Amino acid sequence: MSLLLYAESAEGKFKKVAFELASYAKKVAESLGTTVTAVTINAGDVSELSKYGVDKVLKVTNDKLSAFNAKAYADVIKQAAQKENAKVIVLSSTTDSIYLAPLVAVGLEAGYASNVVGLPLSTSPFQVKRNAFSNKAFNITEISTDVKVVGLAKNSYGLVESNSSLSTEDFSPSLNDADFSVKVENVEKVTGKVTIADAEVVVSGGRGLKGPENWGLVEELATVLGAATACSKPVSDLGWRPHSEHVGQTGKPVATNLYIAIGISGAIQHIAGINSSKVKVVINSDPEAPFFKVADYGVVGDAFEIVPKLTQKLKEFKAQNS
């Protein structure tokens, strides 16, 4: 018996979330007195997983799985869990895994707890702490089924090194035409930029920037910080920025180490989608903007004056400390 995790990768390289998941899985496995097995799909070098406590890797290589397909990927994970007799399956909370988790749970007749924010409070009974009500509260969930699926909230555990001796095994799950009933026709990817999904820092702009012609303020600050750029819903609705950059409850939720909001008043849907970020900085000329109530740091003033000065100071700091 082993604890199983799905280590996500893109273009053959593991995403940071795979290492966070491995760190978490290692600690849970220790409490259960078992080992950690990771299943990978079309990943390249898997050796780095051993740095975070993975004992065994089931490597799946299949050209049919080159593009993400929730049904097919879920079937792969289900069969890996059955092969390893895994009673606990750990998934992340990325967009892909949120699609996967319910399908995996149904396939294994397992209970599923999403948005888990820490190690199990108890393993017998199996209880976990979860975000609830758009990250405004927590609840304690008990999974009573024999097999359990845990969805770890992004950036809730961090990376913890725990070197292990890694073994690998080629795994060829049985896939049929029904697994590919939904076909991927085209995938559009942003190139040359930090993606919102993988970013440690996000710089986001709102209507306070007054127009798309002023977005250079956001992009320059993001470049200095090595950050992803994002926007509020009204900005994407107006066509100033693509919908792929819209963050919030109705867009992409983010849980970054640092979230900087420029000219965003802070509608409840936006705040709900970014509330899991560890440090929130708000720059707004309206001292009554709702965002200030949830911000860790707030600057009241004109973004067109503050942001260029902040960017320049950061450039100087980096130059002095490079």
Side-chain angles (χ1 to χ4, degrees), residues 171-209:
F171 178 49
S172 300
S174 175
L175 300 174
N176 55 49
D177 290 342
D179 287 318
F180 300 94
S181 55
V182 175
K183 298 186 184 298
V184 178
E185 295 291 341
N186 184 44
V187 177
E188 294 183 7
K189 295 183 179 180
V190 176
T191 58
K193 293 183 179 180
V194 180
T195 65
I196 293 172
D198 297 327
E200 299 279 353
V201 180
V202 169
V203 180
S204 191
R207 281 185 295 183
L209 288 173

PDB file of all heavy atoms in Angstrom, residues 171-209:
ATOM      1  N   PHE A 171       4.765   2.647 -16.680  1.00  0.00           N
ATOM      2  CA  PHE A 171       3.389   2.218 -16.424  1.00  0.00           C
ATOM      3  C   PHE A 171       2.548   2.489 -17.667  1.00  0.00           C
ATOM      4  O   PHE A 171       2.543   3.605 -18.184  1.00  0.00           O
ATOM      5  CB  PHE A 171       2.834   2.973 -15.206  1.00  0.00           C
ATOM      6  CG  PHE A 171       1.409   2.648 -14.865  1.00  0.00           C
ATOM      7  CD1 PHE A 171       0.970   1.336 -14.752  1.00  0.00           C
ATOM      8  CD2 PHE A 171       0.492   3.683 -14.638  1.00  0.00           C
ATOM      9  CE1 PHE A 171      -0.356   1.053 -14.427  1.00  0.00           C
ATOM     10  CE2 PHE A 171      -0.827   3.408 -14.308  1.00  0.00           C
ATOM     11  CZ  PHE A 171      -1.250   2.083 -14.211  1.00  0.00           C
ATOM     12  N   SER A 172       1.862   1.474 -18.139  1.00  0.00           N
ATOM     13  CA  SER A 172       1.028   1.598 -19.346  1.00  0.00           C
ATOM     14  C   SER A 172      -0.422   1.254 -19.016  1.00  0.00           C
ATOM     15  O   SER A 172      -0.855   0.105 -19.179  1.00  0.00           O
ATOM     16  CB  SER A 172       1.550   0.674 -20.446  1.00  0.00           C
ATOM     17  OG  SER A 172       2.874   0.999 -20.787  1.00  0.00           O
ATOM     18  N   PRO A 173      -1.183   2.244 -18.541  1.00  0.00           N
ATOM     19  CA  PRO A 173      -2.581   1.974 -18.206  1.00  0.00           C
ATOM     20  C   PRO A 173      -3.396   1.648 -19.450  1.00  0.00           C
ATOM     21  O   PRO A 173      -3.044   2.041 -20.567  1.00  0.00           O
ATOM     22  CB  PRO A 173      -3.052   3.284 -17.571  1.00  0.00           C
ATOM     23  CG  PRO A 173      -2.144   4.322 -18.150  1.00  0.00           C
ATOM     24  CD  PRO A 173      -0.824   3.646 -18.340  1.00  0.00           C
ATOM     25  N   SER A 174      -4.472   0.944 -19.254  1.00  0.00           N
ATOM     26  CA  SER A 174      -5.353   0.582 -20.361  1.00  0.00           C
ATOM     27  C   SER A 174      -6.332   1.719 -20.629  1.00  0.00           C
ATOM     28  O   SER A 174      -7.148   2.064 -19.775  1.00  0.00           O
ATOM     29  CB  SER A 174      -6.121  -0.702 -20.000  1.00  0.00           C
ATOM     30  OG  SER A 174      -7.060  -1.016 -21.001  1.00  0.00           O
ATOM     31  N   LEU A 175      -6.230   2.319 -21.796  1.00  0.00           N
ATOM     32  CA  LEU A 175      -7.111   3.422 -22.175  1.00  0.00           C
ATOM     33  C   LEU A 175      -7.938   3.016 -23.389  1.00  0.00           C
ATOM     34  O   LEU A 175      -7.439   2.333 -24.286  1.00  0.00           O
ATOM     35  CB  LEU A 175      -6.295   4.674 -22.499  1.00  0.00           C
ATOM     36  CG  LEU A 175      -5.412   5.210 -21.357  1.00  0.00           C
ATOM     37  CD1 LEU A 175      -4.552   6.363 -21.852  1.00  0.00           C
ATOM     38  CD2 LEU A 175      -6.268   5.660 -20.188  1.00  0.00           C
ATOM     39  N   ASN A 176      -9.201   3.436 -23.409  1.00  0.00           N
ATOM     40  CA  ASN A 176     -10.069   3.087 -24.534  1.00  0.00           C
ATOM     41  C   ASN A 176     -10.619   4.339 -25.194  1.00  0.00           C
ATOM     42  O   ASN A 176     -10.372   5.473 -24.736  1.00  0.00           O
ATOM     43  CB  ASN A 176     -11.203   2.162 -24.068  1.00  0.00           C
ATOM     44  CG  ASN A 176     -11.992   2.774 -22.915  1.00  0.00           C
ATOM     45  OD1 ASN A 176     -12.392   3.927 -22.989  1.00  0.00           O
ATOM     46  ND2 ASN A 176     -12.215   2.005 -21.851  1.00  0.00           N
ATOM     47  N   ASP A 177     -11.373   4.157 -26.257  1.00  0.00           N
ATOM     48  CA  ASP A 177     -11.888   5.297 -27.031  1.00  0.00           C
ATOM     49  C   ASP A 177     -12.780   6.201 -26.186  1.00  0.00           C
ATOM     50  O   ASP A 177     -12.823   7.417 -26.403  1.00  0.00           O
ATOM     51  CB  ASP A 177     -12.678   4.794 -28.246  1.00  0.00           C
ATOM     52  CG  ASP A 177     -11.773   4.153 -29.288  1.00  0.00           C
ATOM     53  OD1 ASP A 177     -10.545   4.402 -29.239  1.00  0.00           O
ATOM     54  OD2 ASP A 177     -12.284   3.386 -30.136  1.00  0.00           O
ATOM     55  N   ALA A 178     -13.485   5.637 -25.199  1.00  0.00           N
ATOM     56  CA  ALA A 178     -14.375   6.434 -24.361  1.00  0.00           C
ATOM     57  C   ALA A 178     -13.601   7.475 -23.552  1.00  0.00           C
ATOM     58  O   ALA A 178     -14.129   8.540 -23.223  1.00  0.00           O
ATOM     59  CB  ALA A 178     -15.170   5.529 -23.420  1.00  0.00           C
ATOM     60  N   ASP A 179     -12.338   7.165 -23.263  1.00  0.00           N
ATOM     61  CA  ASP A 179     -11.509   8.121 -22.522  1.00  0.00           C
ATOM     62  C   ASP A 179     -11.224   9.377 -23.343  1.00  0.00           C
ATOM     63  O   ASP A 179     -10.880  10.421 -22.793  1.00  0.00           O
ATOM     64  CB  ASP A 179     -10.180   7.472 -22.123  1.00  0.00           C
ATOM     65  CG  ASP A 179     -10.336   6.467 -21.000  1.00  0.00           C
ATOM     66  OD1 ASP A 179     -11.092   6.755 -20.057  1.00  0.00           O
ATOM     67  OD2 ASP A 179      -9.722   5.393 -21.079  1.00  0.00           O
ATOM     68  N   PHE A 180     -11.354   9.266 -24.645  1.00  0.00           N
ATOM     69  CA  PHE A 180     -11.033  10.383 -25.530  1.00  0.00           C
ATOM     70  C   PHE A 180     -12.265  10.877 -26.288  1.00  0.00           C
ATOM     71  O   PHE A 180     -12.165  11.351 -27.413  1.00  0.00           O
ATOM     72  CB  PHE A 180      -9.929   9.969 -26.509  1.00  0.00           C
ATOM     73  CG  PHE A 180      -8.663   9.554 -25.832  1.00  0.00           C
ATOM     74  CD1 PHE A 180      -8.414   8.210 -25.555  1.00  0.00           C
ATOM     75  CD2 PHE A 180      -7.727  10.498 -25.436  1.00  0.00           C
ATOM     76  CE1 PHE A 180      -7.255   7.817 -24.918  1.00  0.00           C
ATOM     77  CE2 PHE A 180      -6.557  10.112 -24.799  1.00  0.00           C
ATOM     78  CZ  PHE A 180      -6.319   8.776 -24.524  1.00  0.00           C
ATOM     79  N   SER A 181     -13.426  10.755 -25.636  1.00  0.00           N
ATOM     80  CA  SER A 181     -14.669  11.206 -26.274  1.00  0.00           C
ATOM     81  C   SER A 181     -14.692  12.721 -26.451  1.00  0.00           C
ATOM     82  O   SER A 181     -15.373  13.258 -27.319  1.00  0.00           O
ATOM     83  CB  SER A 181     -15.884  10.751 -25.453  1.00  0.00           C
ATOM     84  OG  SER A 181     -15.769  11.187 -24.115  1.00  0.00           O
ATOM     85  N   VAL A 182     -13.941  13.426 -25.583  1.00  0.00           N
ATOM     86  CA  VAL A 182     -13.757  14.872 -25.743  1.00  0.00           C
ATOM     87  C   VAL A 182     -12.376  15.082 -26.338  1.00  0.00           C
ATOM     88  O   VAL A 182     -11.369  14.629 -25.789  1.00  0.00           O
ATOM     89  CB  VAL A 182     -13.866  15.614 -24.400  1.00  0.00           C
ATOM     90  CG1 VAL A 182     -13.552  17.098 -24.583  1.00  0.00           C
ATOM     91  CG2 VAL A 182     -15.253  15.448 -23.797  1.00  0.00           C
ATOM     92  N   LYS A 183     -12.316  15.757 -27.468  1.00  0.00           N
ATOM     93  CA  LYS A 183     -11.040  15.946 -28.167  1.00  0.00           C
ATOM     94  C   LYS A 183     -10.564  17.396 -28.059  1.00  0.00           C
ATOM     95  O   LYS A 183     -11.364  18.321 -28.139  1.00  0.00           O
ATOM     96  CB  LYS A 183     -11.185  15.565 -29.646  1.00  0.00           C
ATOM     97  CG  LYS A 183     -11.549  14.094 -29.867  1.00  0.00           C
ATOM     98  CD  LYS A 183     -11.532  13.743 -31.349  1.00  0.00           C
ATOM     99  CE  LYS A 183     -11.985  12.314 -31.569  1.00  0.00           C
ATOM    100  NZ  LYS A 183     -11.086  11.342 -30.916  1.00  0.00           N
ATOM    101  N   VAL A 184      -9.275  17.556 -27.873  1.00  0.00           N
ATOM    102  CA  VAL A 184      -8.661  18.885 -27.826  1.00  0.00           C
ATOM    103  C   VAL A 184      -8.294  19.286 -29.247  1.00  0.00           C
ATOM    104  O   VAL A 184      -7.489  18.625 -29.906  1.00  0.00           O
ATOM    105  CB  VAL A 184      -7.401  18.877 -26.931  1.00  0.00           C
ATOM    106  CG1 VAL A 184      -6.740  20.253 -26.942  1.00  0.00           C
ATOM    107  CG2 VAL A 184      -7.759  18.465 -25.512  1.00  0.00           C
ATOM    108  N   GLU A 185      -8.905  20.339 -29.733  1.00  0.00           N
ATOM    109  CA  GLU A 185      -8.656  20.799 -31.099  1.00  0.00           C
ATOM    110  C   GLU A 185      -7.485  21.776 -31.170  1.00  0.00           C
ATOM    111  O   GLU A 185      -6.721  21.780 -32.121  1.00  0.00           O
ATOM    112  CB  GLU A 185      -9.911  21.490 -31.661  1.00  0.00           C
ATOM    113  CG  GLU A 185     -11.113  20.563 -31.824  1.00  0.00           C
ATOM    114  CD  GLU A 185     -10.907  19.540 -32.932  1.00  0.00           C
ATOM    115  OE1 GLU A 185     -10.040  19.767 -33.791  1.00  0.00           O
ATOM    116  OE2 GLU A 185     -11.607  18.512 -32.925  1.00  0.00           O
ATOM    117  N   ASN A 186      -7.352  22.605 -30.127  1.00  0.00           N
ATOM    118  CA  ASN A 186      -6.315  23.631 -30.177  1.00  0.00           C
ATOM    119  C   ASN A 186      -5.984  24.088 -28.763  1.00  0.00           C
ATOM    120  O   ASN A 186      -6.874  24.152 -27.908  1.00  0.00           O
ATOM    121  CB  ASN A 186      -6.806  24.829 -31.007  1.00  0.00           C
ATOM    122  CG  ASN A 186      -5.734  25.885 -31.177  1.00  0.00           C
ATOM    123  OD1 ASN A 186      -4.584  25.565 -31.458  1.00  0.00           O
ATOM    124  ND2 ASN A 186      -6.099  27.148 -31.002  1.00  0.00           N
ATOM    125  N   VAL A 187      -4.736  24.393 -28.498  1.00  0.00           N
ATOM    126  CA  VAL A 187      -4.301  24.919 -27.209  1.00  0.00           C
ATOM    127  C   VAL A 187      -3.541  26.208 -27.451  1.00  0.00           C
ATOM    128  O   VAL A 187      -2.562  26.223 -28.207  1.00  0.00           O
ATOM    129  CB  VAL A 187      -3.404  23.917 -26.456  1.00  0.00           C
ATOM    130  CG1 VAL A 187      -2.919  24.531 -25.139  1.00  0.00           C
ATOM    131  CG2 VAL A 187      -4.150  22.614 -26.182  1.00  0.00           C
ATOM    132  N   GLU A 188      -3.999  27.296 -26.847  1.00  0.00           N
ATOM    133  CA  GLU A 188      -3.318  28.582 -26.979  1.00  0.00           C
ATOM    134  C   GLU A 188      -2.545  28.858 -25.691  1.00  0.00           C
ATOM    135  O   GLU A 188      -3.120  28.841 -24.608  1.00  0.00           O
ATOM    136  CB  GLU A 188      -4.325  29.701 -27.238  1.00  0.00           C
ATOM    137  CG  GLU A 188      -5.025  29.578 -28.587  1.00  0.00           C
ATOM    138  CD  GLU A 188      -5.969  30.736 -28.861  1.00  0.00           C
ATOM    139  OE1 GLU A 188      -5.972  31.690 -28.052  1.00  0.00           O
ATOM    140  OE2 GLU A 188      -6.685  30.686 -29.870  1.00  0.00           O
ATOM    141  N   LYS A 189      -1.254  29.097 -25.822  1.00  0.00           N
ATOM    142  CA  LYS A 189      -0.416  29.321 -24.652  1.00  0.00           C
ATOM    143  C   LYS A 189       0.242  30.693 -24.728  1.00  0.00           C
ATOM    144  O   LYS A 189       0.617  31.158 -25.797  1.00  0.00           O
ATOM    145  CB  LYS A 189       0.670  28.248 -24.557  1.00  0.00           C
ATOM    146  CG  LYS A 189       0.114  26.844 -24.307  1.00  0.00           C
ATOM    147  CD  LYS A 189       1.251  25.855 -24.163  1.00  0.00           C
ATOM    148  CE  LYS A 189       0.716  24.464 -23.878  1.00  0.00           C
ATOM    149  NZ  LYS A 189       1.814  23.471 -23.722  1.00  0.00           N
ATOM    150  N   VAL A 190       0.354  31.320 -23.550  1.00  0.00           N
ATOM    151  CA  VAL A 190       1.089  32.569 -23.449  1.00  0.00           C
ATOM    152  C   VAL A 190       2.568  32.221 -23.402  1.00  0.00           C
ATOM    153  O   VAL A 190       2.997  31.361 -22.628  1.00  0.00           O
ATOM    154  CB  VAL A 190       0.686  33.339 -22.178  1.00  0.00           C
ATOM    155  CG1 VAL A 190       1.526  34.597 -22.043  1.00  0.00           C
ATOM    156  CG2 VAL A 190      -0.801  33.704 -22.227  1.00  0.00           C
ATOM    157  N   THR A 191       3.366  32.863 -24.223  1.00  0.00           N
ATOM    158  CA  THR A 191       4.802  32.591 -24.247  1.00  0.00           C
ATOM    159  C   THR A 191       5.575  33.831 -23.818  1.00  0.00           C
ATOM    160  O   THR A 191       5.124  34.965 -23.999  1.00  0.00           O
ATOM    161  CB  THR A 191       5.265  32.185 -25.659  1.00  0.00           C
ATOM    162  OG1 THR A 191       4.929  33.238 -26.585  1.00  0.00           O
ATOM    163  CG2 THR A 191       4.587  30.899 -26.102  1.00  0.00           C
ATOM    164  N   GLY A 192       6.717  33.581 -23.217  1.00  0.00           N
ATOM    165  CA  GLY A 192       7.587  34.684 -22.831  1.00  0.00           C
ATOM    166  C   GLY A 192       7.143  35.427 -21.595  1.00  0.00           C
ATOM    167  O   GLY A 192       7.706  36.457 -21.242  1.00  0.00           O
ATOM    168  N   LYS A 193       6.133  34.933 -20.887  1.00  0.00           N
ATOM    169  CA  LYS A 193       5.649  35.595 -19.683  1.00  0.00           C
ATOM    170  C   LYS A 193       5.478  34.572 -18.568  1.00  0.00           C
ATOM    171  O   LYS A 193       5.309  33.391 -18.812  1.00  0.00           O
ATOM    172  CB  LYS A 193       4.295  36.278 -19.938  1.00  0.00           C
ATOM    173  CG  LYS A 193       4.341  37.458 -20.894  1.00  0.00           C
ATOM    174  CD  LYS A 193       2.961  38.080 -21.000  1.00  0.00           C
ATOM    175  CE  LYS A 193       2.954  39.286 -21.932  1.00  0.00           C
ATOM    176  NZ  LYS A 193       1.613  39.896 -22.033  1.00  0.00           N
ATOM    177  N   VAL A 194       5.508  35.073 -17.333  1.00  0.00           N
ATOM    178  CA  VAL A 194       5.183  34.231 -16.189  1.00  0.00           C
ATOM    179  C   VAL A 194       3.677  34.021 -16.185  1.00  0.00           C
ATOM    180  O   VAL A 194       2.911  34.976 -16.291  1.00  0.00           O
ATOM    181  CB  VAL A 194       5.622  34.908 -14.870  1.00  0.00           C
ATOM    182  CG1 VAL A 194       5.279  34.021 -13.685  1.00  0.00           C
ATOM    183  CG2 VAL A 194       7.104  35.220 -14.894  1.00  0.00           C
ATOM    184  N   THR A 195       3.234  32.780 -16.082  1.00  0.00           N
ATOM    185  CA  THR A 195       1.799  32.513 -16.080  1.00  0.00           C
ATOM    186  C   THR A 195       1.220  32.742 -14.695  1.00  0.00           C
ATOM    187  O   THR A 195       1.899  32.565 -13.674  1.00  0.00           O
ATOM    188  CB  THR A 195       1.495  31.072 -16.516  1.00  0.00           C
ATOM    189  OG1 THR A 195       2.040  30.166 -15.545  1.00  0.00           O
ATOM    190  CG2 THR A 195       2.085  30.786 -17.889  1.00  0.00           C
ATOM    191  N   ILE A 196      -0.050  33.114 -14.653  1.00  0.00           N
ATOM    192  CA  ILE A 196      -0.720  33.347 -13.378  1.00  0.00           C
ATOM    193  C   ILE A 196      -0.696  32.083 -12.528  1.00  0.00           C
ATOM    194  O   ILE A 196      -0.508  32.134 -11.314  1.00  0.00           O
ATOM    195  CB  ILE A 196      -2.167  33.828 -13.621  1.00  0.00           C
ATOM    196  CG1 ILE A 196      -2.154  35.226 -14.259  1.00  0.00           C
ATOM    197  CG2 ILE A 196      -2.962  33.854 -12.319  1.00  0.00           C
ATOM    198  CD1 ILE A 196      -3.510  35.716 -14.701  1.00  0.00           C
ATOM    199  N   ALA A 197      -0.885  30.933 -13.167  1.00  0.00           N
ATOM    200  CA  ALA A 197      -0.961  29.669 -12.425  1.00  0.00           C
ATOM    201  C   ALA A 197       0.331  29.345 -11.686  1.00  0.00           C
ATOM    202  O   ALA A 197       0.302  28.766 -10.602  1.00  0.00           O
ATOM    203  CB  ALA A 197      -1.313  28.534 -13.382  1.00  0.00           C
ATOM    204  N   ASP A 198       1.487  29.729 -12.258  1.00  0.00           N
ATOM    205  CA  ASP A 198       2.781  29.366 -11.670  1.00  0.00           C
ATOM    206  C   ASP A 198       3.455  30.511 -10.922  1.00  0.00           C
ATOM    207  O   ASP A 198       4.527  30.329 -10.353  1.00  0.00           O
ATOM    208  CB  ASP A 198       3.729  28.871 -12.770  1.00  0.00           C
ATOM    209  CG  ASP A 198       3.215  27.614 -13.439  1.00  0.00           C
ATOM    210  OD1 ASP A 198       2.570  26.806 -12.754  1.00  0.00           O
ATOM    211  OD2 ASP A 198       3.460  27.445 -14.650  1.00  0.00           O
ATOM    212  N   ALA A 199       2.835  31.688 -10.921  1.00  0.00           N
ATOM    213  CA  ALA A 199       3.496  32.877 -10.390  1.00  0.00           C
ATOM    214  C   ALA A 199       3.551  32.897  -8.860  1.00  0.00           C
ATOM    215  O   ALA A 199       2.601  32.515  -8.184  1.00  0.00           O
ATOM    216  CB  ALA A 199       2.780  34.133 -10.886  1.00  0.00           C
ATOM    217  N   GLU A 200       4.688  33.365  -8.348  1.00  0.00           N
ATOM    218  CA  GLU A 200       4.833  33.619  -6.912  1.00  0.00           C
ATOM    219  C   GLU A 200       4.314  35.014  -6.577  1.00  0.00           C
ATOM    220  O   GLU A 200       3.891  35.280  -5.459  1.00  0.00           O
ATOM    221  CB  GLU A 200       6.314  33.537  -6.516  1.00  0.00           C
ATOM    222  CG  GLU A 200       6.955  32.191  -6.755  1.00  0.00           C
ATOM    223  CD  GLU A 200       6.661  31.208  -5.654  1.00  0.00           C
ATOM    224  OE1 GLU A 200       6.066  31.626  -4.643  1.00  0.00           O
ATOM    225  OE2 GLU A 200       7.002  30.029  -5.805  1.00  0.00           O
ATOM    226  N   VAL A 201       4.385  35.899  -7.587  1.00  0.00           N
ATOM    227  CA  VAL A 201       3.956  37.288  -7.430  1.00  0.00           C
ATOM    228  C   VAL A 201       3.040  37.646  -8.595  1.00  0.00           C
ATOM    229  O   VAL A 201       3.317  37.278  -9.741  1.00  0.00           O
ATOM    230  CB  VAL A 201       5.169  38.254  -7.412  1.00  0.00           C
ATOM    231  CG1 VAL A 201       4.703  39.695  -7.238  1.00  0.00           C
ATOM    232  CG2 VAL A 201       6.162  37.862  -6.318  1.00  0.00           C
ATOM    233  N   VAL A 202       1.953  38.349  -8.305  1.00  0.00           N
ATOM    234  CA  VAL A 202       1.039  38.818  -9.346  1.00  0.00           C
ATOM    235  C   VAL A 202       0.826  40.314  -9.173  1.00  0.00           C
ATOM    236  O   VAL A 202       0.565  40.800  -8.071  1.00  0.00           O
ATOM    237  CB  VAL A 202      -0.326  38.083  -9.279  1.00  0.00           C
ATOM    238  CG1 VAL A 202      -1.354  38.772 -10.184  1.00  0.00           C
ATOM    239  CG2 VAL A 202      -0.172  36.627  -9.704  1.00  0.00           C
ATOM    240  N   VAL A 203       0.972  41.053 -10.274  1.00  0.00           N
ATOM    241  CA  VAL A 203       0.667  42.482 -10.294  1.00  0.00           C
ATOM    242  C   VAL A 203      -0.590  42.657 -11.134  1.00  0.00           C
ATOM    243  O   VAL A 203      -0.623  42.292 -12.307  1.00  0.00           O
ATOM    244  CB  VAL A 203       1.824  43.308 -10.894  1.00  0.00           C
ATOM    245  CG1 VAL A 203       1.461  44.796 -10.902  1.00  0.00           C
ATOM    246  CG2 VAL A 203       3.102  43.078 -10.114  1.00  0.00           C
ATOM    247  N   SER A 204      -1.628  43.225 -10.527  1.00  0.00           N
ATOM    248  CA  SER A 204      -2.936  43.283 -11.160  1.00  0.00           C
ATOM    249  C   SER A 204      -3.417  44.721 -11.277  1.00  0.00           C
ATOM    250  O   SER A 204      -3.167  45.547 -10.390  1.00  0.00           O
ATOM    251  CB  SER A 204      -3.931  42.460 -10.328  1.00  0.00           C
ATOM    252  OG  SER A 204      -5.144  42.276 -11.004  1.00  0.00           O
ATOM    253  N   GLY A 205      -4.101  45.021 -12.369  1.00  0.00           N
ATOM    254  CA  GLY A 205      -4.603  46.376 -12.595  1.00  0.00           C
ATOM    255  C   GLY A 205      -6.103  46.414 -12.776  1.00  0.00           C
ATOM    256  O   GLY A 205      -6.717  45.443 -13.220  1.00  0.00           O
ATOM    257  N   GLY A 206      -6.689  47.559 -12.433  1.00  0.00           N
ATOM    258  CA  GLY A 206      -8.135  47.739 -12.563  1.00  0.00           C
ATOM    259  C   GLY A 206      -8.480  48.970 -13.378  1.00  0.00           C
ATOM    260  O   GLY A 206      -7.615  49.557 -14.044  1.00  0.00           O
ATOM    261  N   ARG A 207      -9.740  49.360 -13.292  1.00  0.00           N
ATOM    262  CA  ARG A 207     -10.209  50.510 -14.078  1.00  0.00           C
ATOM    263  C   ARG A 207      -9.533  51.808 -13.687  1.00  0.00           C
ATOM    264  O   ARG A 207      -9.568  52.789 -14.440  1.00  0.00           O
ATOM    265  CB  ARG A 207     -11.725  50.642 -13.945  1.00  0.00           C
ATOM    266  CG  ARG A 207     -12.489  49.670 -14.826  1.00  0.00           C
ATOM    267  CD  ARG A 207     -13.982  49.913 -14.769  1.00  0.00           C
ATOM    268  NE  ARG A 207     -14.523  49.641 -13.449  1.00  0.00           N
ATOM    269  CZ  ARG A 207     -15.799  49.706 -13.128  1.00  0.00           C
ATOM    270  NH1 ARG A 207     -16.689  50.073 -14.050  1.00  0.00           N
ATOM    271  NH2 ARG A 207     -16.229  49.431 -11.914  1.00  0.00           N
ATOM    272  N   GLY A 208      -8.910  51.823 -12.517  1.00  0.00           N
ATOM    273  CA  GLY A 208      -8.196  53.025 -12.093  1.00  0.00           C
ATOM    274  C   GLY A 208      -7.048  53.401 -13.006  1.00  0.00           C
ATOM    275  O   GLY A 208      -6.550  54.530 -12.957  1.00  0.00           O
ATOM    276  N   LEU A 209      -6.642  52.468 -13.872  1.00  0.00           N
ATOM    277  CA  LEU A 209      -5.581  52.779 -14.837  1.00  0.00           C
ATOM    278  C   LEU A 209      -6.106  53.533 -16.057  1.00  0.00           C
ATOM    279  O   LEU A 209      -5.340  53.936 -16.927  1.00  0.00           O
ATOM    280  CB  LEU A 209      -4.874  51.493 -15.274  1.00  0.00           C
ATOM    281  CG  LEU A 209      -3.984  50.874 -14.194  1.00  0.00           C
ATOM    282  CD1 LEU A 209      -3.444  49.518 -14.638  1.00  0.00           C
ATOM    283  CD2 LEU A 209      -2.826  51.792 -13.856  1.00  0.00           C
TER     284      LEU A 209
END
